[in-house]
Amino acid sequence: MRVGEDLNQALHGLLGDDPSVYVLGEDLLDPYGGAFKITRGLSTRFPDRVLTTPLSEGAIVGAASGLALAGEKAIVEIMFGDFAALAFDQLVNFASKSVSMYGRRVPMPLIIRCPSGGNRGYGPTHSQNLQKHFIGVPGLSLFEMSPFHDNRAVLDRMLALEEPCLLFEDKVLYTRRMYEVDELFTWELVEDVAVVRFDGDLDYVVIAPGGVAHRAIAAMRTLLLAHDLAGAVLVPSRLYPFDPTALLPLLGQVGLVCVAEDGSAGGTWGSHLAADLHPRLWGSLRRPIRLVSSADSVIPTASHLERAVVLQDSTISRAVLEALDG
Amino acid sequence: MNRLADEDLALLLLIRSFERKLLALFERGELNGTTHTCLGQEYVPVSLRPLLRDGDWMFSNHRGHGHYLARFEDPEGLLAEIMGRKGAVCDGVGGSQHLRRDRYLSTGVQGQSLPVATGVALHLKRHEPGGLACVYIGDGTWGEGAVYEALNMAQLWRLPLLVVVEHNGIAQSTPTELQMAGTIAGRAAAFGIAHTRVSSLDISEIRRQLAPLVETVRGGAPLVVEFATHRLGPHSKGDDTRPPEAVRTDWYASYQAEHPDQSARLEAAAGSRMDEIAEEVAARPPATWTAT
């Protein structure tokens, strides 16, 4: 099954199982079914709870918060994750703060889905990964869709947190298959982290969000076949807050820990993660944690220019080689 | 002005005494942070009080003490919140402009609550028909895009949304003519939303005017009620830059002139009640907050 189909079925299942769940967003209605077809069929089955909205990201998230306050659960589709910036106030100053600013905990079961990422030629305002702008907001959790995490389980987990959650969905993943890995590697879940690895002693580990998983695995293949370096790729479902405790034994054994992400350089998720990991691994780290991301640049539209800016599998393999050689 | 029931006038004067007490406490350095008083605007929530039900949701703003007191008559809890004392409505976390109790909620960012109220109104329409979501905003709030996004949705989906505008002619320090093109009526009309202007300061007249209109909201017709009102005090504290000759119409001055005995009696009672409350609350231990 394709990742997008898995997400679509997860939404169908959730709406079918829980009559308090609403889905709001732009152009969701059938036959269109959302810009990336993730909501296809939902409005036909659940016309009362799947609402197509005006182009008003701030008010969509605000209205979803209102539904949550009144005891419902709401899932918002932001057509392109870039437009979550239009809902920044509602997310940061209302939905997230409401969980705790009124003294007692206020349940806010709310999911904001953000189709994200480049490599599709959509240009500077339709290709970004805005995760870093939402890290460190009290009451706000960040998740990322991955080919190794069942989308229904992730949706259920986010709603059970009863606080606003952003779900970043790399658009390229929608058409990739679930649970498919290169035959050179095996994978398993360690708590919420998918560990994709070479079966043997490891030279390095790459930590990567779901949208980067395939690029990291492709890099891992190159590094194994061309350079005889064995690695693992760790793909967490929840990016923030992120508890790496269960991974520490593995991370402590390898010669290099690298964090690879698709957002632009500077103030990144990886730098946050590295700051968290350095003191925990200080006694066993053999070199600094290596960070790799897209460039500090807008994302150009022309495909050759976009490739030069957006993180590629070659960016990751090069970084690992440089770090291990250095 | 029509004579008010003692109960109404006592509530109006409680709100006024509360706000005056806050300004006095600030002057004495006994309050932390900031506050925004509703002196002059007390009659707005008191007029609406009998027109709203317990099941209705209410969204207030930075200038919300009157809204809270008119709904709950809880000066102790509110003062404790503002002073960070035990018994605070929100354990001292929210303070003056972030209050939540039952179906009452205030936020400190202009325009933010309108989309939220729209979502609540959607829930009410589906599950509690006849209920409404009431949002208090000011004239300055109409600068925020969130207002228009929410009005559009509310009318599109025919939601029971009551927008109460306290148009006091001054957004912090900026007069309406420097911040608003056109009119609030014109803006409501652009969405096909009904608008009514309340220029009276007489509570009985206001209730007569609004009672049938509020019923239409319950049926799913959003409404904008624009009170032409007056902020007597500063925006916050000690920051009133209006010239002394600027018109500041006070409903109470007119009422007092026409009903001196009732006014004197209830004003004295409200004043001494607030003195006692302030003394009692100030003596309480600090509020405790268990971070969640």
Side-chain angles (χ1 to χ4, degrees), chain A residues 164-192:
Chain A
C165 294
L166 288 159
L167 177 63
F168 292 92
E169 304 167 6
D170 191 290
K171 299 186 280 278
V172 172
L173 270 187
Y174 290 141
T175 53
R176 301 293 297 264
R177 291 187 189 287
M178 288 294 289
Y179 312 118
E180 193 177 65
V181 288
D182 194 303
E183 71 283 357
L184 295 172
F185 308 115
T186 60
W187 77 276
E188 62 172 344
L189 278 177
V190 177
E191 298 190 352
D192 94 329

Side-chain angles (χ1 to χ4, degrees), chain A residues 19 22 24 47-49 51-67 69-72 86 89-90 93-94 98-107, chain B residues 57 59 88-91 93-95 98-100 105-120 122-123 126-127 146 149-150 152-153 156-157 289-290 292:
Chain A
Y22 284 68
L24 296 87
D48 291 345
R49 291 184 287 131
L51 306 177
T52 199
T53 65
L55 309 189
S56 306
E57 285 77 6
I60 299 168
V61 173
S65 295
L67 286 168
L69 274 178
E72 316 268 20
L86 289 159
D89 177 64
Q90 287 291 342
N93 282 329
F94 187 74
S98 292
V99 173
S100 60
M101 80 171 167
Y102 297 111
R104 269 131 288 189
R105 190 173 171 87
V106 178
Chain B
W57 284 72
F59 292 86
V89 189
C90 296
D91 293 344
V93 183
H98 314 93
L99 298 171
R100 178 176 171 271
L105 187 137
S106 67
T107 70
V109 177
Q110 288 298 309
Q112 189 182 60
S113 64
L114 257 160
V116 179
T118 299
V120 165
L122 176 62
H123 166 84
R126 300 277 174 90
H127 298 287
E149 293 190 1
N152 183 45
M153 274 187 195
L156 203 55
W157 297 344
W289 178 43
T290 314
T292 48

Side-chain angles (χ1 to χ4, degrees), chain B residues 155-224:
Chain B
Q155 175 69 343
L156 203 55
W157 297 344
R158 302 298 289 165
L159 300 180
L161 181 71
L162 171 63
V163 181
V164 178
V165 188
E166 295 176 291
H167 190 163
N168 59 21
I170 184 110
Q172 192 151 338
S173 73
T174 305
T176 299
E177 58 271 23
L178 291 185
Q179 65 91 6
M180 184 182 290
T183 61
I184 292 169
R187 294 174 187 208
F191 294 95
I193 290 179
H195 167 276
T196 191
R197 187 176 157 87
V198 177
S199 47
S200 173
L201 300 174
D202 184 314
I203 287 184
S204 311
E205 275 178 26
I206 296 170
R207 286 175 180 162
R208 264 198 303 279
Q209 179 188 347
L210 295 183
L213 298 173
V214 170
E215 284 312 301
T216 65
V217 178
R218 297 189 185 285
L223 171 69
V224 174

Side-chain angles (χ1 to χ4, degrees), chain B residues 32-52:
Chain B
N32 180 41
T34 191
T35 196
H36 308 92
T37 63
C38 67
L39 294 166
Q41 303 176 193
E42 302 92 339
Y43 68 96
V44 176
V46 175
S47 300
L48 287 164
R49 186 174 141 97
L51 308 183
L52 299 176

Side-chain angles (χ1 to χ4, degrees), chain A residues 228-247:
Chain A
D228 203 26
L229 291 169
V233 173
L234 311 186
V235 184
S237 173
R238 189 184 196 174
L239 303 184
Y240 186 89
F242 177 56
D243 178 5
T245 308
L247 304 175

Side-chain angles (χ1 to χ4, degrees), chain B residues 118-139:
Chain B
T118 299
V120 165
L122 176 62
H123 166 84
L124 292 172
K125 182 188 170 101
R126 300 277 174 90
H127 298 287
E128 299 176 41
L132 63 77
C134 167
V135 191
Y136 286 101
I137 62 174
D139 37 299

